[in-house]
Amino acid sequence: MYQVVPGGAGGTITDVIPKQKHSKDTRPLVGAGVIGLVLVIAAVTAWCYYIASLRKAELLKTQLLDLNKDGYIIRNQGGSIVFRMDFRSGTLDLDSCTKEGELLSCGSTTDRKLNFFIETVRPKDTVQCYRVRWEELVPDIPVEHAMTYKFAHWYGGAVSAIQHWPISISGQHAPKPFVTSDIYSNRNEFGGILESYWLSSNATAIKINNSVPFHLGWNDTEKTMYFQARYNDSPFKPNPGEAPCAELSYRVCVGLDVTSIHKYMTRRYFNKPNKVPAKVMFRHPIWSTWALHKTDIDQEKLLTYAANIRKHGFNCSHLELDDRYTSRYGEFEFDVLKFPNASAMFQKLKSDGFLVSLWIHPFVNYDSENFHSCVERGLFVREPTGRLPAMVRWWNGIGGILDFTNPEARDWFSYQLRSLRSRYGVSSFKFDAGETNYLPWKFSTRTPIRDPSFFTRRYTEMAIPYNDRAELRSGYQSQNISCFFRPIDRDSVWGYELGLKSLIPTVLTISILGYQFILPDMIGGNAYLNRTDGNRVLPDRELYIRWLELSAFMPSMQFSVPPWEYDNEVVEIARKYTALHESIVAPRVLELAGEVLDTGDPIIRPLWWIATGDETAYKIDSQFLIGDDLMVAPVLEPGKQERDIYLPAGRWRSYKGERFEIKEPLHLTDYPVDLDEIAYFVWV
């Protein structure tokens, strides 16, 4: 060892001093130096890990989204958590993740390869969106994400048999196919009008891509909705030639308030109508034969029904001849026993000022004269091999269901409708059914379809030539069909299960899903005996009156059980409200209907539309708005002639002439509403 020793002034420097052995007294100093060196190395290593963890943390953030191995959260501009999604189908390997710009991608879970990414998109200053995709590379592995809904109130999805606003989820259910279904006969399924879109009160919205084999489940204990993509044990199919590798892809968007984010999502993801139906459909009621006569309808009863409409002084947009005017289902000629001279009947109705619409459906029963020719021509949906027609059961029997992906089947069906129009002057059609639950679980169509609900879309397209006055009860990506959509039949009951209380939540849900030309079900419901109070064939009188009052403030009205089946007072109330509908409601609705073509905004709106900062407004399911300036509060409870009313802040005038100029929302408790009244308020 060499040591440099400084010399004094004028002194000398000894350049080399021989190395000397350490004594025992110097060894502790060496040990301390080693320990110090180890500590330095540990500190440097810890610092490197700290820097790496900061970089990893920065990598797993994109704008206001934080990703972890089990899911992600999204915050709003104020820093509050507004959305949380957990991964149920795997744990991400965060070491496989990279970030390039606003794209954060990962290549594996802890046990397999996959393609996963989240991309931040900022389409406008007030909206922030995230594109999310989880793609499995191994066939038949489901992808499942779990959305927590406890942070807010949620709306949208689908109509249901028990309808609440906002969505109220009960029980637990494993993910099941999110496809259209007839909820009157299958009350635990999703309804005939549905879209994979949900909206929350904290200005967050999620839209599942239409290409996803989408299944939905829930757990009310965990406050969670399960979003799942799968092909195994599912009616969804991959594209021909593709492996059944599931992909769950969707977009989550966050805005400043619930109304503005919904406006953005509507413009981005929903079709818009390209025309407004006939104005008379908004102004005057439709009169249907169904609830009054069911299938026991004939020529004499139809003419008498029409005569009574005129006799009692009512207007009519058109007369709807419902079920069983043919001898068998699947035929397109009038039953000569029930309608001995259909041509003369139509001429009489026309001369009396009545246009007639006919009930129609997609089924051809096996005992119909058309069944065998449809089989020979291959017009039916087929069983999975494609060799034989699939026999299906529906509420009126057994037969085939027309394959509307087949141009020949579409042409054949269209020809039958055109023939009815040309022979009798039929004005339009009530297109019934169309839900996918009437297809076999496994089926084949002329043009393969991945999503069973696309069959519903194809069926709704058959209404396009008649959409001025047509009526549909099912819809999927069908907003641009531009005709009236009718929620499925209501029972003659007060409650939330297909009853009067379900009507406002159902109409609001359909509106949020982009369907704005809404025909609520028949006034009073369908009058089934086992769904009415007591042993009367008619709906309860009070129920009928309250239903009538509510319907007067909907885009269109539909009678079936006529008011003269009760008494003169009910007839007078019906005249009052059909006149009010024509003079006050229809002009405003028609104005809004024209705006729908450009904006897609709802005609019938929830109260939060104009009160986005009020928590109370998000929970109100018994009031609604027509536009921004007409608020309606019907009585929906039996035996009540008063109700509590919520008034948003503003300047309002009641139907009684009262004026309310309020800077804060106001609750009117026990507001009196007589049996022949409905409370409504106009913005002044």
Side-chain angles (χ1 to χ4, degrees):
M1 180 178 182
Y2 300 96
Q3 184 175 10
V4 178
V5 180
T12 61
I13 298 175
T14 303
D15 294 318
V16 179
I17 298 178
K19 181 180 178 181
Q20 298 180 6
K21 293 183 180 180
H22 292 289
S23 68
K24 291 182 180 180
D25 294 334
T26 64
R27 288 176 184 175
L29 296 176
V30 175
V34 172
I35 293 173
L37 180 61
V38 171
L39 291 174
V40 169
I41 294 172
V44 170
T45 302
W47 177 255
C48 291
Y49 275 113
Y50 174 67
I51 295 299
S53 66
L54 288 179
R55 290 175 178 172
K56 176 61 71 175
E58 183 64 27
L59 169 68
L60 299 181
K61 290 178 180 288
T62 173
Q63 296 293 335
L64 299 171
L65 181 146
D66 296 349
L67 175 69
N68 61 63
K69 61 186 177 65
D70 296 315
Y72 61 90
I73 60 171
I74 298 175
R75 294 182 172 86
N76 61 17
Q77 295 290 343
S80 300
I81 296 175
V82 293
F83 189 83
R84 173 181 164 183
M85 189 74 88
D86 295 325
F87 304 142
R88 295 294 182 96
S89 49
T91 300
L92 286 180
D93 176 6
L94 298 184
D95 290 332
S96 73
C97 299
T98 59
K99 184 179 180 184
E100 183 175 346
E102 299 299 337
L103 183 67
L104 198 164
S105 58
C106 305
S108 66
T109 66
T110 53
D111 62 355
R112 64 186 183 275
K113 299 291 185 181
L114 86 160
N115 290 327
F116 172 83
F117 75 76
I118 295 178
E119 181 181 19
T120 303
V121 182
R122 195 176 183 87
K124 54 191 301 187
D125 291 342
T126 57
V127 176
Q128 180 123 320
C129 294
Y130 303 90
R131 292 177 56 228
V132 183
R133 186 179 75 186
W134 180 302
E135 179 187 3
E136 289 291 345
L137 302 179
V138 178
D140 294 326
I141 294 180
V143 182
E144 186 174 309
H145 292 181
M147 184 188 79
T148 301
Y149 61 81
K150 64 183 177 181
F151 296 119
H153 306 292
W154 284 85
Y155 315 90
V159 296
S160 58
I162 301 175
Q163 196 85 50
H164 291 285
W165 180 271
I167 294 171
S168 177
I169 298 175
S170 61
Q172 294 85 40
H173 204 291
K176 59 183 178 179
F178 191 70
V179 295
T180 59
S181 183
D182 175 356
I183 53 173
Y184 196 81
S185 57
N186 302 277
R187 301 205 173 195
N188 294 320
E189 299 302 317
F190 305 112
I193 298 176
L194 101 178
E195 304 290 338
S196 53
Y197 168 70
W198 288 267
L199 173 73
S200 82
S201 58
N202 60 15
T204 306
I206 180 170
K207 176 66 177 71
I208 310 297
N209 288 355
N210 293 332
S211 61
V212 170
F214 183 55
H215 297 66
L216 179 66
W218 57 87
N219 186 318
D220 67 341
T221 302
E222 298 178 353
K223 304 300 181 187
T224 297
M225 294 171 66
Y226 304 133
F227 295 164
Q228 187 187 80
R230 76 169 191 260
Y231 291 111
N232 189 35
D233 188 30
S234 169
F236 289 88
K237 304 172 186 176
N239 285 327
E242 289 185 359
C245 295
E247 174 190 310
L248 181 59
S249 54
Y250 52 90
R251 183 172 292 208
V252 180
C253 294
V254 181
L256 295 180
D257 60 72
V258 61
T259 302
S260 62
I261 193 63
H262 178 66
K263 284 174 174 281
Y264 168 77
M265 298 297 283
T266 296
R267 288 155 177 74
R268 176 67 176 80
Y269 290 108
F270 288 157
N271 297 319
K272 289 193 287 291
N274 52 40
K275 60 177 289 190
V276 176
K279 292 181 179 180
V280 69
M281 290 280 289
F282 296 90
R283 291 175 176 146
H284 297 157
I286 299 168
W287 295 78
S288 170
T289 63
W290 174 248
L292 182 64
H293 293 296
K294 300 297 191 294
T295 59
D296 187 25
I297 185 66
D298 58 33
Q299 183 168 324
E300 181 180 355
K301 290 176 180 177
L302 182 62
L303 290 172
T304 300
Y305 190 50
N308 281 330
I309 294 171
R310 292 289 184 242
K311 174 184 174 182
H312 290 91
F314 291 97
N315 289 318
C316 175
S317 62
H318 67 243
L319 188 62
E320 191 173 82
L321 176 54
D322 212 286
D323 192 358
R324 211 52 196 250
Y325 57 88
T326 62
S327 57
R328 294 180 179 86
Y329 296 106
E331 295 177 1
F332 295 85
E333 186 51 81
F334 282 84
D335 183 343
V336 295
L337 296 178
K338 300 175 74 173
F339 297 87
N341 195 339
S343 295
M345 178 188 73
F346 274 90
Q347 290 173 6
K348 169 64 174 170
L349 291 169
K350 183 178 180 180
S351 66
D352 291 341
F354 288 97
L355 296 177
V356 180
S357 175
L358 295 180
W359 176 77
I360 205 72
H361 55 83
F363 307 102
V364 179
N365 278 11
Y366 71 90
D367 59 351
S368 165
E369 291 183 359
N370 289 322
F371 181 79
H372 293 293
S373 63
C374 288
V375 170
E376 291 173 357
R377 296 175 60 181
L379 305 186
F380 291 141
V381 172
R382 294 178 169 260
E383 44 79 42
T385 68
R387 292 191 295 267
L388 296 172
M391 298 297 286
V392 301
R393 180 182 293 277
W394 62 298
W395 68 90
N396 276 330
I398 298 173
I401 183 169
L402 292 166
D403 178 3
F404 292 104
T405 74
N406 181 350
E408 291 184 43
R410 294 164 67 88
D411 290 344
W412 182 85
F413 189 70
S414 296
Y415 171 78
Q416 306 299 332
L417 303 189
R418 289 196 305 271
S419 295
L420 286 168
R421 170 177 270 188
S422 63
R423 276 182 288 167
Y424 303 109
V426 172
S427 65
S428 191
F429 298 92
K430 172 185 177 179
F431 291 82
D432 214 352
E435 299 92 350
T436 61
N437 68 292
Y438 290 110
L439 298 170
W441 177 253
K442 298 291 184 180
F443 64 91
S444 65
T445 50
R446 175 66 64 87
T447 302
I449 54 178
R450 299 180 60 183
D451 181 348
S453 293
F454 193 68
F455 178 86
T456 298
R457 164 68 197 191
R458 280 286 179 251
Y459 178 57
T460 60
E461 290 169 356
M462 304 308 298
I464 291 175
Y466 311 97
N467 57 12
D468 264 358
R469 296 170 176 271
E471 171 187 332
L472 283 160
R473 84 170 195 191
S474 57
Y476 176 67
Q477 301 176 37
S478 304
Q479 296 91 341
N480 62 342
I481 301 301
S482 304
C483 70
F484 277 88
F485 285 82
R486 172 182 66 90
I488 203 166
D489 301 42
R490 305 287 108 172
D491 287 323
S492 297
V493 296
W494 289 89
Y496 285 104
E497 183 176 348
L498 296 178
L500 178 60
K501 283 186 179 179
S502 73
L503 200 55
I504 294 174
T506 299
V507 170
L508 290 174
T509 298
I510 293 172
S511 296
I512 288 297
L513 298 180
Y515 297 87
Q516 310 308 343
F517 307 140
I518 300 171
L519 173 64
D521 193 44
M522 296 166 286
I523 291 167
N526 56 25
Y528 278 121
L529 187 63
N530 65 344
R531 284 290 174 178
T532 55
D533 293 330
N535 295 317
R536 304 180 63 204
V537 174
L538 298 177
D540 173 75
R541 182 180 184 273
E542 183 188 6
L543 173 68
Y544 183 88
I545 291 171
R546 292 306 192 190
W547 207 305
L548 165 63
E549 293 162 354
L550 171 55
S551 293
F553 286 86
M554 289 291 166
S556 187
M557 299 179 71
Q558 185 180 50
F559 284 100
S560 187
V561 172
W564 55 84
E565 289 289 316
Y566 293 93
D567 51 52
N568 288 334
E569 183 184 11
V570 176
V571 172
E572 287 303 318
I573 293 173
R575 288 192 186 122
K576 171 184 175 180
Y577 281 100
T578 53
L580 183 148
H581 177 84
E582 182 177 358
S583 62
I584 295 178
V585 178
R588 183 67 180 118
V589 167
L590 279 167
E591 181 183 355
L592 293 164
E595 296 174 6
V596 166
L597 307 186
D598 296 322
T599 66
D601 289 348
I603 293 173
I604 304 298
R605 301 173 181 176
L607 264 62
W608 51 250
W609 193 267
I610 61 170
T612 58
D614 188 353
E615 171 68 16
T616 301
Y618 290 113
K619 297 179 286 186
I620 291 178
D621 67 350
S622 62
Q623 297 176 225
F624 61 93
L625 295 164
I626 301 174
D628 290 346
D629 50 14
L630 178 55
M631 194 273 288
V632 187
V635 173
L636 305 175
E637 298 278 353
K640 298 288 186 180
Q641 296 198 28
E642 69 282 324
R643 65 155 294 164
D644 294 344
I645 295 175
Y646 164 91
L647 272 182
R651 301 172 63 191
W652 298 94
R653 185 182 69 248
S654 79
Y655 69 106
K656 298 178 181 180
E658 306 152 311
R659 289 183 175 269
F660 301 88
E661 297 189 18
I662 48 178
K663 295 182 179 180
E664 298 290 336
L666 177 65
H667 291 268
L668 305 175
T669 58
D670 294 328
Y671 187 83
V673 187
D674 290 341
L675 181 60
D676 65 342
E677 293 181 325
I678 180 172
Y680 64 94
F681 299 77
V682 179
W683 185 279
V684 294

